Amino acid sequence: MFERLRILTQHAIPKRRLTELAGRVAASSGRHTPRLIRWFVARYGVDMSEAENPDLRSYASFNDFFTRPLKAGARPLADADFICPVDGAISQFGSIDDHHIVQAKGHRFTTADLLGGDSALAATFRDGSFANLYLSPKDYHRLHMPCDGELTRMVYVPGALFSVNPTTARGVPGLFARNERVICLFKSPSHGRFAMILVGATIVGSIATVWHGAVNAKRSGEISEWPYASSEVVLRRGEEMGRFLLGSTIVMLFEKDAIAFNPEWYPERPVRLGEPMGSASPGNRSL
């Protein structure tokens, strides 16, 4: 009953206006900022000992605090073909069933819906693999590369702004394919093509990438696309690729026979940036 009420509330609240207000507050600076940061750290149990700058009073805005970098060495990279790109928790992962992805028990959505209706692009990942990783408010919110990749295209898809917490994932069908999202398409010299889809949510002020900055700042309501020339943006395994201004989910898509997931992974398991996500599948083919 409690979960159902939370889902009904998600449908009823003015999510866009709430998100815009939260974004303005998070970007502003003033006397309220240190107090807001202290409350947030206490409320969510944020571990500031890992931060490059642990002094809560020194952050000019809540956004500066929320996207804080980690101190050097806090997340060593495992000796693995694919590393986990974020701190968070596993929502679901596994094989793409033809073109269907599992969101939660009883809920699936298609790769074409996730990719803004682009069926040709979705065909790239037919029978491939996926991983949905949820970043909670307490987590480090910069996003990193799971493997080496050259950016080929970025697409902004407007959409709803439902919360993406586990309760909502269980209760809102097609959640990740309904919410606002930024699709980043890469090709790897060793692991083929892959996609990193940054999913927006309630009070996520913006989604940013290192090569573009804030992608969804204007929220025009229209699909936008940016192509990238060969070698224009090349990122190495473990390098930062983007960030959320407040928590959300990242969905990754890989081609067929690209990745064999870490056998220690399971749904709802906590994960940390840099830990082994998987190895190259025996059938993996290089570009």
Side-chain angles (χ1 to χ4, degrees):
M1 176 62 78
F2 179 67
E3 282 202 6
R4 182 174 295 181
L5 287 173
R6 290 185 67 180
I7 298 302
L8 289 173
T9 300
Q10 278 288 308
H11 284 279
I13 62 174
K15 295 179 285 295
R16 190 166 299 278
R17 289 200 295 272
L18 180 61
T19 299
E20 291 171 352
L21 174 61
R24 288 196 295 271
V25 171
S28 66
S29 59
R31 289 180 298 175
H32 70 279
T33 300
R35 189 162 55 248
L36 175 61
I37 293 172
R38 286 195 301 272
W39 171 85
F40 190 91
V41 169
R43 171 67 177 80
Y44 292 104
V46 178
D47 183 2
M48 291 301 294
S49 69
E50 297 182 323
E52 183 179 83
N53 175 14
D55 183 2
L56 299 180
R57 297 168 299 177
S58 67
Y59 290 98
S61 70
F62 184 83
N63 280 342
D64 287 346
F65 153 74
F66 197 78
T67 58
R68 63 197 177 277
L70 297 174
K71 63 185 178 184
R75 296 291 184 276
L77 304 185
D79 182 15
D81 296 317
F82 298 90
I83 61 165
C84 181
V86 296
D87 283 5
I90 300 166
S91 295
Q92 294 288 334
F93 72 103
S95 298
I96 298 171
D97 178 10
D98 188 12
H99 58 280
H100 287 91
I101 297 173
V102 176
Q103 173 179 300
K105 186 176 181 180
H107 293 305
R108 302 200 305 168
F109 58 92
T110 69
T111 50
D113 287 341
L114 179 67
L115 296 171
D118 190 333
S119 56
L121 176 58
T124 301
F125 304 106
R126 185 172 184 176
D127 295 321
S129 302
F130 76 95
N132 308 333
L133 305 179
Y134 168 66
L135 288 73
S136 73
K138 70 178 177 60
D139 290 320
Y140 167 68
H141 276 78
R142 297 193 182 199
L143 317 172
H144 295 250
M145 294 292 288
C147 60
D148 293 353
E150 178 183 314
L151 183 69
T152 60
R153 186 174 156 204
M154 181 173 72
V155 183
Y156 166 71
V157 181
L161 290 169
F162 287 102
S163 169
V164 292
N165 63 43
T167 298
T168 313
R170 290 190 295 268
V172 177
L175 173 63
F176 304 142
R178 292 170 68 175
N179 268 17
E180 174 183 76
R181 53 207 180 276
V182 175
I183 301 163
C184 304
L185 300 163
F186 295 91
K187 62 180 181 181
S188 164
S190 301
H191 308 300
R193 291 168 289 185
F194 65 98
M196 300 181 71
I197 298 100
L198 285 54
V199 182
T202 310
I203 72 169
V204 175
S206 66
I207 299 169
T209 64
V210 296
W211 58 85
H212 184 94
V215 180
N216 61 338
K218 294 183 178 179
R219 288 194 166 99
S220 65
E222 299 179 354
I223 292 178
S224 301
E225 183 172 339
W226 297 265
Y228 292 88
S230 178
S231 301
E232 185 175 352
V233 179
V234 178
L235 298 171
R236 301 301 180 194
R237 186 183 70 117
E239 276 193 80
E240 183 184 344
M241 60 80 61
R243 61 188 68 174
F244 287 120
L245 299 183
L246 295 180
S248 197
T249 285
I250 182 168
V251 180
M252 289 174 287
L253 305 179
F254 300 96
E255 290 186 277
K256 184 178 181 180
D257 296 329
I259 183 172
F261 283 108
N262 183 344
E264 296 182 2
W265 273 31
Y266 54 86
E268 300 185 11
R269 176 186 184 273
V271 291
R272 282 162 66 98
L273 167 65
E275 73 170 59
M277 183 170 74
S279 58
S281 173
N284 192 335
R285 59 188 184 282
S286 299
L287 286 179

